Amino acid sequence: MTKRNRSGKTFTAPELKTLLGGIAPRQFFKEYWQKKPLLVRQAVPDLDRVLNGQGLFDLACRDDAESRLVRPVGSNWQRQLGPFDPAALARLPKRRWSLLVSGVNMLIPQGDALLNAFNFAPYARLDDLMVSFAPPGGGVGPHFDSYDVFLIQGLGRRRWEISGQDDLELVDDCPLRILKRFRVDQSWELEPGDMLYLPPKYAHNGVALTDCMTWSIGFRAPSAQEIATEFLVYMQDSICLDGAYADPDLGYSQRPGKIPPLMVDRLKDMIRAIRWTDRDMEDFIGRYLSEPKPCVFFDPPAQPAGFKRFHKLANERGLKLDARSRMLYLGGIFFMNGERLEAAHGMQTELRQLADRRHLPAGEFDEVFTSLLYEWYRAGYLTMA
Ligand code: SIN
Ligand code: CO
């Protein structure tokens, strides 16, 4: 997909063949994914034309962006959260700091195009695009991420050191997750366009050799604890149990402070009566995976087209999902931004196409289908292509 940037230059997300350095996607998943690092030279050329340091500074000053500034202070590290004041960023020293902005895929169209170039993995696994800027000596220190990451060199040069070490102990009392010990196994200098893939928990340290920008494609890997907590929160709303505690057989209490064993047994039975079905779990999974992050807000159109005009334009131009929208499906059930939709059979092909390609080409959409699309258009979930 080709996107025009603010300076008028275009960015075309690379073809899969270029992105994976000629490795077939099946081979990538078999040999590298979650298994071992992969360095691809010239995987994503031209990123330096999309955004420069000033462009990233501008994003870091926006209040709809998640940004942070990181720098070493003595033997510790300091982390400041954005949004930042442009004057404060202009006063930063010439060396050894790093400014990072997350969710860049939701801030610039080229970021959305780049993130979606990685849809050889399912959208349910793709998380977001983070972009960092660092002057010489800058970086976020030796660390590991708990998810897979593709680190793409946008601008300038950076040395990446990596380690397959099992020792993942972190420095105590540090606002950043810094490894206590880091034993370098391999290192490379990345030039603009080069890309390094790292599996989860692979230790790494990137140090800027010149003014440098790194674009990181991150993946979602929720912890078992998070899934359990979120599922129980979900069940709280969907559970519906009859009856209440009763004890017509209760006797006189000589030790009123003691919880009666009979009461414990009956309460345990009430807890054991909590059940969930495959349908509950699948509904939760679809809603949970399609739920936008809490910091995401949609912008409904300020002057929405009326239904008739929308229908005409949608048929003529097609539609595309907003960069913030998460649309997924499980069989014939669709999930749009945390909402469930059981679609009529006749709509399913188009809805799958919208979820897979994130756009619908011009067509002849019937009234019922268009009403659904219109609702999503009014909510800001999709726009005219
Ligand atoms: C960076 O862009 O400096 C950090 C990216 C990472 O190590 O995951
Ligand atoms: Co990292």
Side-chain angles (χ1 to χ4, degrees):
M1 196 183 290
T2 301
K3 300 281 172 192
R4 196 161 287 278
N5 75 359
R6 272 179 294 173
S7 62
K9 287 181 185 143
T10 55
F11 165 71
T12 306
E15 305 253 318
L16 245 185
K17 224 167 88 186
T18 313
L19 197 60
L20 294 177
I23 296 177
R26 274 179 217 288
Q27 189 191 349
F28 172 76
F29 282 106
K30 203 163 162 228
E31 279 182 38
Y32 296 94
W33 178 256
Q34 304 229 314
K35 295 168 198 73
K36 62 180 185 189
L38 173 69
L39 175 73
V40 180
R41 296 285 182 192
Q42 292 310 295
V44 190
D46 297 336
L47 271 184
D48 49 349
R49 301 192 313 172
V50 173
L51 197 68
N52 56 19
Q54 186 54 52
L56 192 74
F57 281 24
D58 294 346
L59 295 182
C61 297
R62 279 170 55 165
D63 55 13
D64 59 346
E66 247 184 285
S67 53
R68 64 205 145 104
L69 179 67
V70 163
R71 45 186 151 179
V73 178
S75 59
N76 207 323
W77 289 76
Q78 187 190 62
R79 186 186 66 164
Q80 279 170 271
L81 299 181
F84 293 95
D85 169 25
L89 293 182
R91 283 195 300 270
L92 283 167
K94 289 207 171 353
R95 292 181 57 83
R96 300 188 75 209
W97 49 268
S98 187
L99 179 72
L100 304 103
V101 181
S102 302
V104 172
N105 50 300
M106 293 185 276
L107 302 174
I108 57 170
Q110 298 90 345
D112 183 40
L114 178 64
L115 182 70
N116 291 327
F118 288 78
N119 67 5
F120 52 90
Y123 292 125
R125 287 285 271 119
L126 267 182
D127 188 9
D128 82 333
L129 166 68
M130 179 181 81
V131 183
S132 69
F133 175 90
V140 297
H143 68 284
F144 66 90
D145 298 306
S146 39
Y147 46 81
D148 308 79
V149 64
F150 288 88
L151 300 157
I152 309 163
Q153 194 62 27
L155 184 94
R157 289 183 296 120
R158 168 164 256 164
R159 172 173 301 113
W160 279 105
E161 299 170 328
I162 66 167
S163 170
Q165 65 192 56
D166 293 325
D167 172 8
L168 297 179
E169 203 181 328
L170 299 175
V171 171
D172 302 317
D173 302 322
C174 178
L176 264 64
R177 299 172 70 255
I178 301 289
L179 283 165
K180 240 182 198 167
R181 293 164 289 273
F182 182 55
R183 187 206 68 223
V184 180
D185 287 344
Q186 272 178 293
S187 89
W188 299 277
E189 255 184 46
L190 266 66
E191 305 265 351
D194 295 346
M195 179 178 84
L196 177 61
Y197 163 74
L198 294 176
K201 300 214 167 132
Y202 218 93
H204 53 288
N205 183 32
V207 180
L209 300 173
T210 64
D211 278 0
C212 124
M213 288 177 77
T214 298
W215 299 57
S216 315
I217 304 287
F219 288 79
R220 299 184 77 176
S223 67
Q225 181 61 35
E226 180 182 332
I227 292 298
T229 309
E230 293 293 324
F231 180 63
L232 291 175
V233 170
Y234 163 87
M235 281 306 293
Q236 164 184 305
D237 293 333
S238 55
I239 212 151
C240 180
L241 296 176
D242 291 329
Y245 186 77
D247 49 5
D249 47 355
L250 186 66
Y252 163 53
S253 302
Q254 282 177 304
R255 291 163 68 195
K258 184 177 175 193
I259 302 173
L262 197 73
M263 186 170 195
V264 173
D265 286 346
R266 285 183 186 161
L267 291 178
K268 280 184 184 169
D269 284 344
M270 286 166 101
I271 295 168
R272 282 192 198 102
I274 302 170
R275 293 267 185 276
W276 50 81
T277 60
D278 270 17
R279 189 193 177 281
D280 290 322
M281 289 189 280
E282 286 165 10
D283 186 54
F284 159 73
I285 289 167
R287 289 176 192 266
Y288 168 79
L289 291 175
S290 67
E291 183 71 46
K293 291 186 188 175
C295 57
V296 169
F297 295 96
F298 288 91
D299 297 319
Q303 288 176 319
F307 180 77
K308 271 195 170 163
R309 184 160 167 73
F310 172 81
H311 195 173
K312 182 174 178 295
L313 291 176
N315 278 344
E316 281 171 13
R317 288 161 44 183
L319 296 158
K320 61 176 181 183
L321 288 183
D322 183 87
R324 289 161 283 198
S325 278
R326 296 184 68 90
M327 184 181 182
L328 303 171
Y329 57 87
L330 199 56
I333 315 287
F334 293 80
F335 298 93
M336 172 69 112
N337 297 325
E339 294 163 19
R340 175 193 178 97
L341 167 78
E342 253 160 88
H345 207 70
M347 293 181 189
Q348 294 188 4
T349 306
E350 266 102 352
L351 284 174
R352 278 197 196 104
Q353 189 175 3
L354 181 61
D356 288 333
R357 300 192 196 162
R358 298 187 60 81
H359 77 93
L360 263 187
E364 285 191 17
F365 309 129
D366 68 30
E367 287 244 342
V368 180
F369 184 48
T370 309
S371 306
L372 169 67
L373 297 173
Y374 188 60
E375 225 177 90
W376 286 345
Y377 159 74
R378 298 276 310 234
Y381 295 171
L382 48 75
T383 54
M384 240 71 82

